[in-house]
Amino acid sequence: MATFDEIYEKIKEYPTIILHRHTSPDPDAIGSQAGLARSLRLAFPDKKILCAGENDEGDLIWINKMDEVVPEDYQGALVITTDTANTPRISNKNYDKGDFLIKIDHHPDVDPYADMSYVDPDAPAASEIVFDFLKAENLPVTKEVAAALYAGIVGDTGRFMYPETSAHTFDVAAELTKTGINITDIAREIADVTFDEAKLQALAMDKMEINPVGAAYTILMQDDLKKMGLTDDQANVAVSTPGRIKDVLAWNVFVEKPDGTFRVHYRSKGPVINHLAEKHDGGGHALASGANAKDMDEVKQVFDEVVEVTKKYNEEHGTNK
């Protein structure tokens, strides 16, 4: 793994730097990308620094809007990915057209695709890693930089609820808050949903099935989204819904894609599920991962596997399920 100093030396070498994040972005994907880009623009005003990605920011455009990036920009450029574990999830497939590729991430490094990488699976958010990098290299952390990074940290820690949250996370949050960001507005932007998104959450709850071992699933079809006028990305608002049920330990939310395949969301309160996602063209964190299923048969297989790991978790922890 590279050091922060080695990454910084590479950054200093290149006149053009293009930052990528993952598709179907969450606050940490856009926050880590934008926070790093904003700081580098301040530190190197003569460099061309661009944020690349599909134009699918949706409700997260308040964090950052993507730049117009053309293929010619990649000639002799440094490319940096943030919060992106594997190549299929990189937004904008020109990421490999640059001169050198750096990966900054906090997911398990199952796809070491970059020329240089800094990967810390113990960090709760890529935005926290970016802050540590900026601080280590004495790079600017202004209010605008801090707002993006704080949004990423709040998003990926579930507002400081998830187990990866550490004392260091709170130290970072405190440092970011000192810049004058409005933490209340950021929390509201992340938590607020539209009326139609709230109705989708209700539908997800209504369609949910719970296995006696404490595993649950719900399936959202394209017809459901179209009736509510919602996009595929907006369906992400329902991913945490089953976890609100006290007796649910692990769950899947399946979202049908326009081509009839399914985006698979894995979430857990204890059973480790990222190894299951890896079986289905996916991966992620121990308790939060994503994958894909080609049809309803694979959907059933995915959930059967979640039932099995949840059952084993109960046996190992002496629960009565």
Side-chain angles (χ1 to χ4, degrees):
M1 186 169 71
T3 65
F4 285 156
D5 286 347
E6 289 170 334
I7 291 173
Y8 188 46
E9 289 303 314
K10 278 294 176 183
I11 287 172
K12 289 192 289 187
E13 288 180 24
Y14 288 87
T16 299
I17 302 170
I18 305 174
L19 295 100
H20 287 246
R21 40 78 177 171
H22 64 71
T23 58
S24 300
D26 55 17
D28 190 35
I30 296 183
S32 58
Q33 178 193 37
L36 180 56
R38 291 171 185 175
S39 181
L40 294 180
R41 285 170 183 154
L42 293 170
F44 302 101
D46 294 332
K47 293 182 185 290
K48 178 190 285 187
I49 299 172
L50 303 169
C51 289
E54 316 304 336
N55 292 317
D56 57 0
E57 296 94 345
D59 291 340
L60 296 178
I61 199 167
W62 61 272
I63 301 177
N64 192 48
K65 180 175 174 58
M66 297 301 105
D67 297 308
E68 291 292 332
V69 185
V70 297
E72 291 74 23
D73 289 323
Y74 290 86
Q75 295 179 8
L78 171 65
V79 178
I80 302 175
T81 65
T82 65
D83 195 38
T84 309
N86 49 44
T87 54
R89 296 210 69 204
I90 301 175
S91 183
N92 186 317
K93 300 309 176 184
N94 289 320
Y95 71 90
D96 60 352
K97 301 298 190 294
D99 184 66
F100 197 86
L101 179 60
I102 296 175
K103 173 184 182 181
I104 299 175
D105 191 28
H106 70 127
H107 300 90
D109 198 16
V110 295
D111 183 1
Y113 57 78
D115 299 306
M116 179 183 287
S117 64
Y118 187 97
V119 178
D120 181 4
D122 293 327
S127 295
E128 183 177 301
I129 297 174
V130 169
F131 173 83
D132 288 340
F133 168 72
L134 299 180
K135 187 173 182 179
E137 303 303 330
N138 295 311
L139 290 166
V141 180
T142 62
K143 184 177 179 179
E144 291 71 26
V145 173
L149 297 180
Y150 186 83
I153 291 170
V154 171
D156 251 28
T157 61
R159 287 176 284 182
F160 308 104
M161 181 179 70
Y162 299 152
E164 292 84 2
T165 305
S166 67
H168 179 63
T169 305
F170 287 106
D171 290 339
V172 171
E175 288 295 316
L176 296 173
T177 302
K178 290 175 183 177
T179 65
I181 59 174
N182 191 322
I183 62 173
T184 302
D185 283 352
I186 292 171
R188 284 175 177 163
E189 287 281 5
I190 292 175
D192 285 353
V193 297
T194 67
F195 184 47
D196 286 335
E197 289 172 339
K199 289 193 290 186
L200 185 68
Q201 290 176 327
L203 179 64
M205 192 75 79
D206 188 55
K207 297 178 72 172
M208 184 170 57
E209 299 288 340
I210 304 177
N211 184 280
V213 302
Y217 76 93
T218 191
I219 302 176
L220 299 174
M221 305 299 289
Q222 279 291 309
D223 283 347
D224 298 325
L225 301 179
K226 289 176 181 176
K227 287 176 183 177
M228 295 181 179
L230 299 174
T231 66
D232 294 356
D233 287 335
Q234 286 176 299
N236 291 340
V237 74
V239 171
S240 62
T241 298
R244 294 166 56 190
I245 305 301
K246 183 176 182 179
D247 292 334
V248 171
L249 291 175
W251 64 96
N252 292 121
V253 174
F254 300 96
V255 180
E256 185 187 24
K257 302 178 188 178
D259 64 1
T261 63
F262 293 85
R263 175 65 180 159
V264 183
H265 300 273
Y266 292 81
R267 295 293 185 272
S268 173
K269 298 175 185 175
V272 174
I273 42 77
N274 60 324
H275 65 291
L276 301 181
E278 291 168 9
K279 297 181 181 180
H280 302 277
D281 189 28
H285 301 291
L287 305 183
S289 293
N292 297 280
K294 63 180 181 295
D295 52 30
M296 289 300 295
D297 286 340
E298 190 168 3
V299 164
K300 182 179 184 303
Q301 179 187 352
V302 166
F303 184 62
D304 285 346
E305 291 167 354
V306 171
V307 169
E308 285 303 309
V309 298
T310 306
K311 181 180 178 181
K312 184 177 180 181
Y313 178 87
N314 290 331
E315 294 169 349
E316 292 174 347
H317 289 77
T319 64
N320 294 322
K321 289 184 178 295

